[in-house]
Amino acid sequence: MRFDELNLEEAVLDGLDAMNFAETTPVQELTIPVILEGKDIIACAQTGTGKTAAYVLPVINELSKGTHPANAINAIIMAPTRELAQQIDQQIEGFTYFIPVSAVAVYGGTDGIAWEQQKRGMEMGADIVIATPGRLLAHIKLGSVDLSQTSFFILDEADRMLDMGFYDDIMQVHKLLPPTCQVIMFSATMPPKIRTLAKTILKNPEEIKIAISRPPETILQTAYVCYEPQKIRILEDLFLQSRPQRVIIFSSSKIKVKELAATLKRMKFNVAPMHSDLEQSQREEVMKEFKNGHIDILVATDVVSRGIDINDIRLVINYDIPHDPEDYVHRIGRTARGTNGEGLAITFISTDEQAQFKRIEDFLEKPVYKIPVDPKFGEAPLYEPEKYNTPRRGRGRPRKEGNNNNGRPRQSNAHHKGRPRKNG
């Protein structure tokens, strides 16, 4: 379907035309008409499906009509991480170039100047506030946020927010919204906790589900079944055989990311870590250096597995098994996105991760090829996931991964109504 076949305002279509957006994606075709009708909605769609435009376009379409309060916060978009909040803000900037709709991004890790800019933007009544939960609540508690006239409440990557422990924050914000507020939820997965949240905050919602994508066949998926201490030796051997370039290594925690990056650096590899303890300016610099090829290996937590667009990744390594099969898909999906569409994914499976990896294989509906471990690294365990099928304890995503006060993101500016915003 073409965007001009939807019931969108001319100014919105002009913005889409300027950005060379012509055809809708499946999630956009299904959700935009429902949101335009004013219905609550829960949509299951992953990053890369065009979901941001699916909710942003109908919201700015309605705000562009000029029927909403001029000095009120008319829409709240809540996102789990600063990176996603920034990307949503950038998309809104493009879509509203010809429209007098204002926006401000509100996320943690800022200095006092950025805090004041965020506060001023909300007090002036930015039409759209894109926020991480913790920072939005901080402003609310200081009295700089009035949500009494808000018309749209959007939760993006709701499953990730619940995983990060933001349920109470979401409910606190929801209680401040008027009963007439339209609630829109997007989630990559639909576990019971998401359905419970939906029943709590949505009113007779429409449910839209885009088929959960599995990794492209162009990604060669392989794995090593090994003991935990063998992982680093196998990794070093791989990199000595073939110089690493455009490689992302995912690890389960920022502590392990730091340790692994430091170990690889001692081995003289060109590597940088990416985790929430870095200042935001440092994180942005690392991403820039990795994208332009000055860094060969990025060791990261799942903070970069979703929502960050990096092309031409040659290899993704799962140093640790992700908790959810969908996270595995997100991780290895960072590869096979370049011009040739091919990629390689290698996963290290320790004994206590075998049951988890079997769940991933069940989700993929096929086994992943296990590369024999070279005898020089010692005897390796057999792949016997049933033997190790015991619940993992103590698992939890650190809430501060997405929103903390240690980073320093770019300054966030409220964009004034009626004034085209500068790109870049």
Side-chain angles (χ1 to χ4, degrees):
M1 176 182 282
R2 293 179 56 85
F3 281 107
D4 56 18
E5 295 177 67
L6 296 169
N7 189 25
L8 295 171
E9 299 291 304
E10 284 299 320
V12 176
L13 293 173
D14 287 343
L16 287 166
D17 186 57
M19 295 174 70
N20 294 316
F21 277 61
E23 298 282 338
T24 62
T25 65
V27 69
Q28 292 161 0
E29 180 179 347
L30 292 172
T31 57
I32 289 175
V34 176
I35 296 173
L36 288 174
E37 289 175 17
K39 295 180 180 177
D40 284 10
I41 189 171
I42 178 167
C44 186
Q46 295 176 325
T47 295
T49 58
K51 65 179 174 62
T52 304
Y55 63 76
V56 164
L57 287 172
V59 167
I60 66 173
N61 187 81
E62 296 309 293
L63 296 179
S64 72
K65 296 177 180 179
T67 57
H68 291 78
N71 296 309
I73 295 173
N74 290 308
I76 293 283
I77 300 173
M78 198 175 282
T81 65
R82 289 172 293 195
E83 287 80 7
L84 182 57
Q86 288 175 325
Q87 288 181 49
I88 296 167
D89 186 37
Q90 289 163 7
Q91 282 217 28
I92 291 173
E93 184 172 339
F95 290 140
T96 59
Y97 192 80
F98 300 106
I99 303 169
V101 170
S102 57
V104 61
V106 175
Y107 41 78
T110 57
D111 55 17
I113 295 173
W115 169 277
E116 287 301 319
Q117 290 176 328
Q118 295 172 5
K119 178 183 175 185
R120 187 167 64 251
M122 288 186 288
E123 287 177 340
M124 290 170 60
D127 285 309
I128 303 172
V129 173
I130 311 107
T132 51
R135 179 49 61 102
L136 179 61
L137 271 181
H139 281 284
I140 287 172
K141 288 172 183 174
L142 292 178
S144 56
V145 182
D146 178 8
L147 304 182
S148 63
Q149 299 183 79
T150 301
S151 298
F152 305 96
F153 182 46
I154 299 110
L155 299 176
D156 196 353
E157 294 195 1
D159 53 344
R160 180 54 58 96
M161 281 194 276
L162 295 191
D163 282 342
M164 294 169 71
F166 287 131
Y167 177 84
D168 290 341
D169 293 358
I170 292 169
M171 295 309 299
Q172 283 187 59
V173 173
H174 182 258
K175 287 175 185 175
L176 300 174
L177 301 169
T180 54
C181 184
Q182 183 179 0
V183 182
I184 298 160
M185 272 180 61
F186 275 77
S187 181
T189 59
M190 206 65 75
K193 60 189 175 184
I194 284 292
R195 295 198 174 277
T196 300
L197 176 63
K199 288 178 183 176
T200 306
I201 68 174
L202 299 177
K203 306 175 291 293
N204 302 316
E206 292 270 340
E207 183 172 330
I208 291 169
K209 190 164 186 177
I210 304 299
I212 293 175
S213 62
R214 285 168 173 77
E217 293 298 322
T218 51
I219 300 178
L220 176 60
Q221 300 178 61
T222 62
Y224 286 95
V225 180
C226 57
Y227 293 108
E228 185 69 30
Q230 292 175 319
K231 289 183 178 181
I232 189 62
R233 297 174 61 198
I234 297 170
L235 186 64
E236 180 184 17
D237 191 59
L238 286 171
F239 289 164
L240 290 175
Q241 290 179 34
S242 176
R243 184 197 161 205
Q245 289 179 292
R246 311 293 285 166
V247 177
I248 299 181
I249 303 175
F250 285 108
S251 191
S252 58
S253 69
K254 61 188 175 186
I255 294 173
K256 290 193 74 171
V257 164
K258 293 175 186 177
E259 292 174 349
L260 182 55
T263 299
L264 290 172
K265 194 166 286 187
R266 285 195 297 272
M267 294 175 177
K268 307 302 181 185
F269 293 113
N270 184 11
V271 60
M274 172 66 76
H275 52 77
S276 65
D277 280 353
L278 294 177
E279 291 192 350
Q280 185 64 15
S281 58
Q282 292 175 303
R283 294 165 76 172
E284 291 174 354
E285 182 63 22
V286 168
M287 292 304 300
K288 177 183 172 185
E289 292 292 284
F290 182 64
K291 287 180 180 181
N292 65 26
H294 294 163
I295 292 171
D296 294 325
I297 306 167
L298 188 68
V299 185
T301 58
D302 279 304
V303 74
V304 296
S305 70
R306 295 195 192 202
I308 292 183
D309 191 27
I310 312 170
N311 287 328
D312 300 320
I313 301 301
R314 300 181 181 181
L315 170 64
V316 168
I317 294 175
N318 292 306
Y319 197 80
D320 304 302
I321 306 294
H323 178 73
D324 298 314
E326 292 88 351
D327 286 337
Y328 173 84
V329 174
H330 284 301
R331 284 184 179 187
I332 73 171
R334 299 305 94 194
T335 186
R337 296 174 64 161
T339 52
N340 61 9
E342 296 179 352
L344 173 62
I346 299 174
T347 301
F348 293 145
I349 312 167
S350 65
T351 50
D352 65 352
E353 294 173 315
Q354 288 194 17
Q356 273 178 277
F357 193 73
K358 180 62 168 63
R359 286 193 289 273
I360 291 171
E361 290 182 312
D362 291 344
F363 175 79
L364 299 173
E365 298 179 343
K366 66 176 183 181
V368 171
Y369 174 68
K370 315 299 187 300
I371 303 172
V373 174
D374 193 310
K376 68 184 178 185
F377 300 121
E379 185 181 357
L382 297 174
Y383 186 54
E384 301 174 300
E386 296 79 12
K387 179 179 177 181
Y388 300 103
N389 191 15
T390 55
R392 292 185 73 194
R393 295 180 181 176
R395 181 255 172 195
R397 300 173 195 252
R399 168 174 166 159
K400 80 186 275 191
E401 183 62 62
N403 188 14
N404 64 63
N405 293 320
N406 296 326
R408 193 180 300 276
R410 64 173 173 80
Q411 292 182 353
S412 179
N413 298 302
H415 305 296
H416 297 294
K417 301 173 190 275
R419 191 176 301 170
R421 297 175 291 182
K422 295 178 181 177
N423 291 325

